[in-house]
Amino acid sequence: MSLAHTSAGAASAASAPARVELARTWMLRSPLAGDLETDADVLVLDLEDGLPAARKAEGRDRARRAAAEAPVWLRISAAGTRDGQADLALGRELDARLAGVVLAMCAGPADVAHVAASLPAGTPIVAMVESAAALLEAPAIAAHPATRRLAFGTGDFRRDTGMSAERIALSWPRAQLVVASAAAGIAGPIDGPCGPIDQAHDAARHAAAMGFTGTLALQDAAIPGAHAGFTPAPVEVEAARSLLSTTPDGPVDGSYAPTLARARALVARAEALAAL
């Protein structure tokens, strides 16, 4: 179920903030696409790379029409660009019909501040880190009060740095985003698109092991694998519950406290995801 196009049984608006923090899959889809249904946790109408230059205005109009049905998430172009300004104007027009934005090519906290000031107060912002310079600004981007999560734009980051897609090559930038998010007290970052369908589960498991809590997606067929990869396995949850039940009064010594804290966090995440 998407947060942008919800069914009658979807959670109330009051639960939306928690859902933004928990969302595992963020489907990027052109508003020109005929089908906007998805099993991803969040559907994001892509006004940036999802639209050719000659059809930007048409795409915004399609997004406007989609918002008449239910609040929408938008991926908007870089702050300060002409397309970025037009996307922000659409966001202001949508007002309460705007669920949130994914900010492409975020260069630093000033971009987050500009977008936050240009949209209805409290609009959730997911800031995409897509360059070497932006990675160095990641702690400040994450710490901005309007930033709800970071996302890793792996394609543009690799183009900018020359890094390969090998996991060992991208392990350092991924770790930087995880640490920046944790230091800022926001949810773990969202990884770049999860790649081929048959690799979605493995890619998600690797990203989860790095400390990521979600991924961008381009194909619906990748969603089940990605969801499974970012959801604690039943055996992990059972082991955590068993550990907690054997030490109900707390750690046997101080060195055990982190283990118990991780077990509590795993169980809490599993229960929260089950309620999505």
Side-chain angles (χ1 to χ4, degrees), residues 75-230:
R75 176 158 78 159
I76 61 174
S77 295
T81 64
R82 182 165 61 181
D83 283 325
Q85 291 301 102
D87 294 343
L88 289 174
L90 172 61
R92 290 192 296 274
E93 176 189 335
L94 296 183
D95 196 16
R97 309 303 288 175
L98 179 66
V101 297
V102 175
L103 171 59
M105 292 291 179
C106 181
D111 283 356
V112 179
H114 172 71
V115 169
S118 302
L119 293 174
T123 299
I125 298 173
V126 173
M128 291 196 68
V129 174
E130 305 186 71
S131 69
L135 182 65
L136 297 180
E137 292 286 333
I141 295 171
H144 192 283
T147 302
R148 295 288 289 277
R149 292 177 76 169
L150 299 179
F152 191 19
T154 49
D156 280 303
F157 184 84
R158 289 178 53 220
R159 176 184 56 79
D160 186 48
T161 62
M163 288 184 177
S164 77
E166 294 293 328
R167 288 177 177 176
I168 192 169
L170 293 177
S171 62
W172 184 79
R174 282 192 170 111
Q176 295 298 301
L177 296 182
V178 170
V179 172
S181 297
I186 61 176
I190 301 162
D191 201 14
C194 50
I197 294 167
D198 61 351
Q199 298 176 23
H201 180 258
D202 183 59
R205 291 293 291 175
H206 171 73
M210 290 289 302
F212 281 69
T213 56
T215 184
L216 301 174
L218 303 176
Q219 301 179 70
D220 274 307
I223 298 304
H227 277 172
F230 285 108

